[in-house]
Amino acid sequence: GTMSQRFHSRKAKVRGFVTPVEWDKDNKIARIAICTEAEDIFYVDDEVGLDCLRHALRAYVVVKGFYFVDDKGEKHLELRSIKLH
């Protein structure tokens, strides 16, 4: 469950491009990926993170936060700070 995932989360500083990857039925962005130059992908799907990144679509950002890897091997990022470049 979520508790164990939170427990395994690691600190990260991620630099990359903000790319929307999923929309909900109202055509609102439901999931955003931050794609790094090393072709690493960090997914943001919580409300707070999405709100922060919605105005930075396709921008290059430096974000700090915590991430955990789910059972599919996907990295989920919880934002703490964001800088636009």
Side-chain angles (χ1 to χ4, degrees), residues 1-57:
T2 319
M3 282 307 288
S4 60
Q5 287 171 333
R6 290 260 179 281
F7 186 70
H8 291 300
S9 62
R10 286 168 253 187
K11 253 185 146 149
K13 185 176 184 178
V14 181
R15 295 180 173 82
F17 288 95
V18 177
T19 312
V21 289
E22 236 172 72
W23 288 261
D24 66 15
K25 56 187 191 313
D26 303 320
N27 228 8
K28 233 177 114 177
I29 294 165
R31 197 174 203 213
I32 285 174
I34 297 177
C35 308
T36 72
E37 282 159 18
E39 292 179 8
D40 230 354
I41 298 175
F42 290 84
Y43 291 102
V44 176
D45 36 34
D46 62 291
E47 259 331 292
V48 177
L50 289 172
D51 283 345
C52 290
L53 292 174
R54 270 192 195 106
H55 64 85
L57 295 182

Side-chain angles (χ1 to χ4, degrees), residues 45-74:
D45 36 34
D46 62 291
E47 259 331 292
V48 177
L50 289 172
D51 283 345
C52 290
L53 292 174
R54 270 192 195 106
H55 64 85
L57 295 182
R58 300 188 178 79
Y60 185 78
V61 296
V62 178
V63 297
K64 285 182 188 161
F66 296 89
Y67 76 94
F68 67 86
V69 181
D70 67 18
D71 19 2
K72 288 185 288 195
E74 290 183 344

